[in-house]
mmCIF file of all heavy atoms in Angstrom:
data_model
loop_
_atom_site.group_PDB
_atom_site.id
_atom_site.type_symbol
_atom_site.label_atom_id
_atom_site.label_comp_id
_atom_site.label_asym_id
_atom_site.label_seq_id
_atom_site.Cartn_x
_atom_site.Cartn_y
_atom_site.Cartn_z
ATOM 1 N N LYS L 75 -11.815 -6.684 -19.030
ATOM 2 C CA LYS L 75 -13.122 -6.886 -19.667
ATOM 3 C C LYS L 75 -13.031 -6.836 -21.074
ATOM 4 O O LYS L 75 -12.560 -5.823 -21.638
ATOM 5 C CB LYS L 75 -14.199 -6.114 -19.062
ATOM 6 C CG LYS L 75 -14.343 -6.314 -17.486
ATOM 7 C CD LYS L 75 -15.394 -5.412 -16.912
ATOM 8 C CE LYS L 75 -15.428 -5.758 -15.393
ATOM 9 N NZ LYS L 75 -16.464 -4.915 -14.791
ATOM 10 N N ASP L 76 -13.675 -7.737 -21.854
ATOM 11 C CA ASP L 76 -13.612 -7.781 -23.341
ATOM 12 C C ASP L 76 -14.252 -6.455 -23.874
ATOM 13 O O ASP L 76 -13.605 -5.978 -24.847
ATOM 14 C CB ASP L 76 -14.425 -8.943 -23.870
ATOM 15 C CG ASP L 76 -13.751 -10.153 -23.627
ATOM 16 O OD1 ASP L 76 -12.493 -10.277 -23.350
ATOM 17 O OD2 ASP L 76 -14.403 -11.333 -23.583
ATOM 18 N N GLU L 77 -15.288 -6.058 -23.318
ATOM 19 C CA GLU L 77 -15.937 -4.839 -23.897
ATOM 20 C C GLU L 77 -15.009 -3.489 -23.645
ATOM 21 O O GLU L 77 -15.315 -2.473 -24.255
ATOM 22 C CB GLU L 77 -17.309 -4.663 -23.228
ATOM 23 C CG GLU L 77 -17.275 -4.315 -21.712
ATOM 24 C CD GLU L 77 -17.475 -5.593 -20.877
ATOM 25 O OE1 GLU L 77 -17.122 -6.672 -21.384
ATOM 26 O OE2 GLU L 77 -17.829 -5.477 -19.768
ATOM 27 N N GLU L 78 -14.003 -3.577 -22.794
ATOM 28 C CA GLU L 78 -13.120 -2.462 -22.636
ATOM 29 C C GLU L 78 -11.788 -2.534 -23.310
ATOM 30 O O GLU L 78 -10.986 -1.662 -23.312
ATOM 31 C CB GLU L 78 -12.887 -2.240 -21.118
ATOM 32 C CG GLU L 78 -14.113 -2.058 -20.281
ATOM 33 C CD GLU L 78 -13.943 -2.267 -18.739
ATOM 34 O OE1 GLU L 78 -12.945 -2.696 -18.346
ATOM 35 O OE2 GLU L 78 -14.872 -1.841 -18.035
ATOM 36 N N ALA L 79 -11.659 -3.587 -24.086
ATOM 37 C CA ALA L 79 -10.284 -3.850 -24.752
ATOM 38 C C ALA L 79 -10.024 -2.851 -25.852
ATOM 39 O O ALA L 79 -8.755 -2.666 -25.997
ATOM 40 C CB ALA L 79 -10.369 -5.310 -25.429
ATOM 41 N N GLN L 80 -10.988 -2.158 -26.450
ATOM 42 C CA GLN L 80 -10.672 -1.249 -27.477
ATOM 43 C C GLN L 80 -10.525 0.241 -27.007
ATOM 44 O O GLN L 80 -10.269 1.069 -27.787
ATOM 45 C CB GLN L 80 -11.768 -1.342 -28.489
ATOM 46 C CG GLN L 80 -11.953 -2.658 -29.110
ATOM 47 C CD GLN L 80 -10.643 -3.209 -29.728
ATOM 48 O OE1 GLN L 80 -9.901 -2.506 -30.328
ATOM 49 N NE2 GLN L 80 -10.346 -4.457 -29.480
ATOM 50 N N LEU L 81 -10.550 0.371 -25.688
ATOM 51 C CA LEU L 81 -10.391 1.722 -25.100
ATOM 52 C C LEU L 81 -8.914 2.230 -25.349
ATOM 53 O O LEU L 81 -8.016 1.401 -25.424
ATOM 54 C CB LEU L 81 -10.645 1.756 -23.615
ATOM 55 C CG LEU L 81 -12.051 1.480 -23.192
ATOM 56 C CD1 LEU L 81 -12.151 1.365 -21.568
ATOM 57 C CD2 LEU L 81 -13.071 2.628 -23.603
ATOM 58 N N PRO L 82 -8.714 3.509 -25.562
ATOM 59 C CA PRO L 82 -7.379 4.058 -25.696
ATOM 60 C C PRO L 82 -6.600 3.586 -24.348
ATOM 61 O O PRO L 82 -7.211 3.494 -23.206
ATOM 62 C CB PRO L 82 -7.589 5.568 -25.711
ATOM 63 C CG PRO L 82 -8.950 5.771 -26.108
ATOM 64 C CD PRO L 82 -9.739 4.606 -25.558
ATOM 65 N N TYR L 83 -5.245 3.353 -24.584
ATOM 66 C CA TYR L 83 -4.435 2.761 -23.501
ATOM 67 C C TYR L 83 -4.493 3.606 -22.148
ATOM 68 O O TYR L 83 -4.801 2.925 -21.058
ATOM 69 C CB TYR L 83 -2.968 2.679 -23.918
ATOM 70 C CG TYR L 83 -2.185 1.959 -22.966
ATOM 71 C CD1 TYR L 83 -2.017 0.593 -23.086
ATOM 72 C CD2 TYR L 83 -1.563 2.520 -21.776
ATOM 73 C CE1 TYR L 83 -1.329 -0.161 -22.057
ATOM 74 C CE2 TYR L 83 -0.913 1.828 -20.793
ATOM 75 C CZ TYR L 83 -0.703 0.490 -21.035
ATOM 76 O OH TYR L 83 0.012 -0.238 -20.048
ATOM 77 N N PRO L 84 -4.437 4.973 -22.153
ATOM 78 C CA PRO L 84 -4.544 5.588 -20.833
ATOM 79 C C PRO L 84 -5.854 5.375 -20.155
ATOM 80 O O PRO L 84 -5.939 5.168 -18.922
ATOM 81 C CB PRO L 84 -4.420 7.045 -21.229
ATOM 82 C CG PRO L 84 -3.654 7.008 -22.484
ATOM 83 C CD PRO L 84 -4.056 5.820 -23.225
ATOM 84 N N GLN L 85 -7.004 5.334 -21.005
ATOM 85 C CA GLN L 85 -8.284 5.139 -20.311
ATOM 86 C C GLN L 85 -8.480 3.655 -19.928
ATOM 87 O O GLN L 85 -8.979 3.374 -18.895
ATOM 88 C CB GLN L 85 -9.376 5.473 -21.410
ATOM 89 C CG GLN L 85 -10.756 5.495 -20.887
ATOM 90 C CD GLN L 85 -11.893 5.815 -21.929
ATOM 91 O OE1 GLN L 85 -11.462 6.249 -23.001
ATOM 92 N NE2 GLN L 85 -13.097 5.569 -21.498
ATOM 93 N N ARG L 86 -7.848 2.805 -20.577
ATOM 94 C CA ARG L 86 -7.831 1.415 -20.234
ATOM 95 C C ARG L 86 -7.084 1.177 -18.892
ATOM 96 O O ARG L 86 -7.485 0.346 -18.119
ATOM 97 C CB ARG L 86 -7.326 0.525 -21.329
ATOM 98 C CG ARG L 86 -7.681 -0.943 -21.091
ATOM 99 C CD ARG L 86 -7.672 -1.802 -22.412
ATOM 100 N NE ARG L 86 -8.058 -3.179 -22.041
ATOM 101 C CZ ARG L 86 -7.366 -4.201 -22.224
ATOM 102 N NH1 ARG L 86 -6.232 -4.131 -22.888
ATOM 103 N NH2 ARG L 86 -7.747 -5.450 -21.877
ATOM 104 N N PHE L 87 -5.972 1.791 -18.722
ATOM 105 C CA PHE L 87 -5.200 1.724 -17.537
ATOM 106 C C PHE L 87 -6.077 2.000 -16.340
ATOM 107 O O PHE L 87 -6.155 1.379 -15.301
ATOM 108 C CB PHE L 87 -4.013 2.632 -17.616
ATOM 109 C CG PHE L 87 -3.143 2.501 -16.415
ATOM 110 C CD1 PHE L 87 -2.027 1.685 -16.367
ATOM 111 C CD2 PHE L 87 -3.333 3.362 -15.263
ATOM 112 C CE1 PHE L 87 -1.198 1.617 -15.218
ATOM 113 C CE2 PHE L 87 -2.516 3.404 -14.161
ATOM 114 C CZ PHE L 87 -1.567 2.407 -14.144
ATOM 115 N N VAL L 88 -6.770 3.236 -16.423
ATOM 116 C CA VAL L 88 -7.636 3.754 -15.405
ATOM 117 C C VAL L 88 -8.874 2.674 -15.170
ATOM 118 O O VAL L 88 -9.046 2.396 -14.001
ATOM 119 C CB VAL L 88 -8.159 5.083 -15.680
ATOM 120 C CG1 VAL L 88 -9.349 5.537 -14.791
ATOM 121 C CG2 VAL L 88 -7.104 6.188 -15.732
ATOM 122 N N THR L 89 -9.291 2.197 -16.206
ATOM 123 C CA THR L 89 -10.352 1.308 -16.092
ATOM 124 C C THR L 89 -9.992 -0.093 -15.383
ATOM 125 O O THR L 89 -10.593 -0.629 -14.537
ATOM 126 C CB THR L 89 -11.076 1.011 -17.462
ATOM 127 O OG1 THR L 89 -11.516 2.146 -17.944
ATOM 128 C CG2 THR L 89 -12.186 -0.021 -17.321
ATOM 129 N N ILE L 90 -8.851 -0.603 -15.791
ATOM 130 C CA ILE L 90 -8.271 -1.819 -15.158
ATOM 131 C C ILE L 90 -8.055 -1.649 -13.761
ATOM 132 O O ILE L 90 -8.436 -2.472 -12.896
ATOM 133 C CB ILE L 90 -7.045 -2.354 -15.910
ATOM 134 C CG1 ILE L 90 -7.491 -2.773 -17.357
ATOM 135 C CG2 ILE L 90 -6.381 -3.369 -15.185
ATOM 136 C CD1 ILE L 90 -6.365 -3.064 -18.274
ATOM 137 N N TRP L 91 -7.437 -0.426 -13.339
ATOM 138 C CA TRP L 91 -7.154 -0.240 -11.980
ATOM 139 C C TRP L 91 -8.449 -0.182 -11.155
ATOM 140 O O TRP L 91 -8.476 -0.756 -10.143
ATOM 141 C CB TRP L 91 -6.372 1.061 -11.851
ATOM 142 C CG TRP L 91 -5.804 1.407 -10.529
ATOM 143 C CD1 TRP L 91 -4.578 1.047 -10.064
ATOM 144 C CD2 TRP L 91 -6.499 2.062 -9.502
ATOM 145 N NE1 TRP L 91 -4.381 1.513 -8.747
ATOM 146 C CE2 TRP L 91 -5.622 2.243 -8.402
ATOM 147 C CE3 TRP L 91 -7.688 2.671 -9.270
ATOM 148 C CZ2 TRP L 91 -5.941 2.771 -7.176
ATOM 149 C CZ3 TRP L 91 -8.090 3.274 -8.047
ATOM 150 C CH2 TRP L 91 -7.079 3.315 -7.015
ATOM 151 N N THR L 92 -9.438 0.656 -11.661
ATOM 152 C CA THR L 92 -10.667 0.805 -10.890
ATOM 153 C C THR L 92 -11.456 -0.568 -10.859
ATOM 154 O O THR L 92 -12.104 -0.787 -9.774
ATOM 155 C CB THR L 92 -11.594 1.951 -11.409
ATOM 156 O OG1 THR L 92 -11.799 1.769 -12.799
ATOM 157 C CG2 THR L 92 -10.861 3.391 -11.240
ATOM 158 N N ASN L 93 -11.397 -1.318 -11.922
ATOM 159 C CA ASN L 93 -12.149 -2.581 -11.916
ATOM 160 C C ASN L 93 -11.560 -3.516 -10.784
ATOM 161 O O ASN L 93 -12.249 -4.080 -10.061
ATOM 162 C CB ASN L 93 -11.814 -3.385 -13.261
ATOM 163 C CG ASN L 93 -12.617 -2.781 -14.385
ATOM 164 O OD1 ASN L 93 -13.569 -2.066 -14.285
ATOM 165 N ND2 ASN L 93 -12.318 -3.207 -15.538
ATOM 166 N N LEU L 94 -10.196 -3.339 -10.662
ATOM 167 C CA LEU L 94 -9.653 -4.294 -9.501
ATOM 168 C C LEU L 94 -9.908 -3.806 -8.167
ATOM 169 O O LEU L 94 -10.179 -4.637 -7.272
ATOM 170 C CB LEU L 94 -8.143 -4.434 -9.720
ATOM 171 C CG LEU L 94 -7.417 -5.378 -8.801
ATOM 172 C CD1 LEU L 94 -8.006 -6.778 -8.783
ATOM 173 C CD2 LEU L 94 -5.871 -5.455 -9.142
ATOM 174 N N VAL L 95 -9.961 -2.403 -7.994
ATOM 175 C CA VAL L 95 -10.283 -1.891 -6.702
ATOM 176 C C VAL L 95 -11.774 -2.317 -6.289
ATOM 177 O O VAL L 95 -11.997 -2.831 -5.253
ATOM 178 C CB VAL L 95 -10.116 -0.378 -6.640
ATOM 179 C CG1 VAL L 95 -10.779 0.137 -5.333
ATOM 180 C CG2 VAL L 95 -8.694 0.012 -6.749
#
Side-chain angles (χ1 to χ4, degrees):
K75 297 180 180 179
D76 291 340
E77 63 269 21
E78 298 165 351
Q80 300 307 316
L81 293 173
Y83 189 91
Q85 189 179 349
R86 191 153 186 241
F87 181 92
V88 169
T89 302
I90 290 168
W91 189 92
T92 54
N93 286 347
L94 186 53
V95 173

